[in-house]
Amino acid sequence: MPGRFAPTPSGRMHIGNIYAMLGAWLSARSRGDGMLLRIEDIDEPRVVPGAAELMMDDLRWLGLDWDGEPVYQSARHGLYEEALRCLERLTVDDAYGSAKARNSASIPLIYPCFCSRADIRAASAPQEGDRFMVYPGTCRRLIANDPDATRQRLENGDRHSLRIAMPEKASHNSTIHFDDEVFARQEFSLPQDIGDTIVRRADGLFSYQLVVVVDDLDMGVDDIVRGRDLLRSNALQIAIRTALIAAGFQSHAARTTATRTATTPQSPYSPENPHYAHLPLIDNAEGRRLAKRERSLDMGVLRAHGVSPEQVVGYCAWLLGLQGDRSCTAPRPMSAAEALQEFDWSNVRVDTADRSISQDDFDAYFGL
Ligand code: GLU
């Protein structure tokens, strides 16, 4: 089963994006598996025209190939709508099992939320580093205690998003565990660490958290490699994936079970239970996470300076830990095929600290 590149076309890729793409490509190709490309252009206001084409050109130039045609999220609204309809058929009890102590009827798994961002901010604890804000539950209490009031507001046409409810604290399935290839065993409490999360925004856009799970299931992806800032999201995505499966949303693999069991009988992973690897992040010298506006680390600038694909891949392989101890070795150019020879997750997980790029060393290596 395949892995995937899932870039957001919001600008030219920089060295941090390439490092994550290289990790995803090496993981899939080292298993002898396919690699799919999904252009995550669902959040239309963030999309920069032409960025997807430049990303594909950069990936090809680097030798990071993929199989088949790219999938564009912007062309899949019907699928996301269908997935949402499936989830809307469930109650919280259907999705997670009943809470041990309960004095009210189970609420719908997907419920309307009329809160503005300002309302939520006012009622919430400060955000943590990954900008996750646990929803304080205002509209969940409304639908639980006064469903007529919720109905009335919907009838009035009040602007609302849709949220997926997390299990109650007392329920059996309120904690998500998963094994990460780099960060080892992870544990998150759905009600405490995550909270009820928007799946469709008030402006009608489907949220990243929903569509990424729908797409991975639908495309049959069983290898998910990306930055460690999504570790907490991964727990939420596992909950969404479990609910979708419980609601009867069919994964690509489930639709083609016969071929799957015939081709990969020994893999412990499947689109229902993927392999996860979250990578340390890349910071600049000031310790800030790289942003697409970090011009000097951007592929456009590097290519305009005449750097080679091997220099870029080698640098990212070095960041991944595939060229030995980074504190005593300098990066050296290598092709994607050579990096594949060196690839082993045990080398990546030797050091799980975020990587910091010194601009001087970077400029010296690339001859800028
Ligand atoms: N499109 C997301 C990003 O660019 C990737 C998310 C994912 O891999 O699930 O950060």
Side-chain angles (χ1 to χ4, degrees), residues 4-10 17 20-21 38-41 46 55 73 208-209 212-213 216 224-227 229-230 233-234 237 278 289 292:
R4 44 50 161 204
F5 294 127
T8 303
S10 58
N17 305 122
M21 302 284 161
R38 179 168 74 237
I39 303 294
E40 301 219 322
D41 57 354
R46 284 183 62 207
M55 281 174 166
Q73 288 184 328
Y208 156 73
Q209 303 286 6
V212 70
V213 180
D216 283 338
I224 295 178
V225 180
R226 53 194 178 180
D229 52 333
L230 291 169
S233 287
N234 199 47
Q237 293 171 14
H278 288 80
R289 190 174 170 202
K292 287 219 167 91

Side-chain angles (χ1 to χ4, degrees), residues 275-351:
H275 171 248
Y276 303 110
H278 288 80
L279 302 172
L281 302 179
I282 309 293
D283 297 333
N284 63 15
E286 287 85 54
R288 275 184 292 110
R289 190 174 170 202
L290 293 188
K292 287 219 167 91
R293 58 182 182 280
E294 216 100 20
R295 295 286 303 150
S296 61
L297 309 180
D298 143 331
M299 286 301 291
V301 175
L302 291 175
R303 288 180 66 176
H305 269 90
V307 309
S308 67
E310 290 77 16
Q311 276 177 295
V312 178
V313 169
Y315 192 84
C316 293
W318 173 78
L319 285 173
L320 279 169
L322 305 182
Q323 296 187 350
D325 183 350
R326 279 178 302 112
S327 58
C328 50
T329 57
R332 60 174 196 282
M334 58 168 44
S335 67
E338 284 162 344
L340 193 52
Q341 301 297 317
E342 302 300 320
F343 178 70
D344 197 314
W345 280 119
S346 61
N347 296 330
V348 181
R349 76 171 87 87
V350 164
D351 179 7

Side-chain angles (χ1 to χ4, degrees), residues 107-284:
I107 62 160
L109 181 65
I110 304 292
Y111 68 85
C113 173
F114 305 96
C115 296
S116 67
R117 227 177 268 216
D119 294 336
I120 298 170
R121 220 172 293 126
S124 301
Q127 296 182 16
E128 287 181 30
D130 59 4
R131 298 168 33 124
F132 231 95
M133 190 151 52
V134 176
Y135 178 60
T138 320
C139 289
R140 178 180 180 133
R141 284 190 295 279
L142 183 69
I143 198 164
N145 301 332
D146 191 356
D148 287 342
T150 301
R151 212 168 300 128
Q152 190 58 53
R153 293 197 66 172
L154 288 175
E155 275 165 25
N156 294 348
D158 286 6
R159 191 176 161 81
H160 64 277
S161 58
L162 294 176
R163 285 186 187 271
I164 182 165
M166 293 294 110
E168 289 174 26
K169 277 187 209 145
S171 49
H172 303 296
N173 298 320
S174 64
T175 304
I176 295 279
H177 301 271
F178 61 92
D179 289 310
D180 187 78
E181 188 69 71
V182 179
F183 286 89
R185 190 127 178 105
Q186 300 290 307
E187 180 179 315
F188 292 92
S189 157
L190 291 172
Q192 282 166 324
D193 300 328
I194 292 169
D196 299 354
T197 303
I198 291 182
V199 286
R200 204 184 68 197
R201 293 173 4 186
D203 60 8
L205 285 183
F206 293 99
S207 77
Y208 156 73
Q209 303 286 6
L210 175 70
V211 301
V212 70
V213 180
V214 172
D215 282 334
D216 283 338
L217 268 176
D218 180 71
M219 294 164 73
V221 168
D222 75 348
D223 190 29
I224 295 178
V225 180
R226 53 194 178 180
R228 68 136 182 88
D229 52 333
L230 291 169
L231 272 170
R232 184 177 359 192
S233 287
N234 199 47
L236 167 64
Q237 293 171 14
I238 290 173
I240 297 177
R241 184 180 290 107
T242 308
L244 275 168
I245 294 166
F249 182 83
Q250 290 254 300
S251 74
H252 169 86
R255 295 195 303 267
T256 56
T257 312
T259 40
R260 183 174 125 227
T261 43
T263 51
T264 52
Q266 75 284 41
S267 171
Y269 302 111
S270 68
E272 290 79 11
N273 177 33
H275 171 248
Y276 303 110
H278 288 80
L279 302 172
L281 302 179
I282 309 293
D283 297 333
N284 63 15

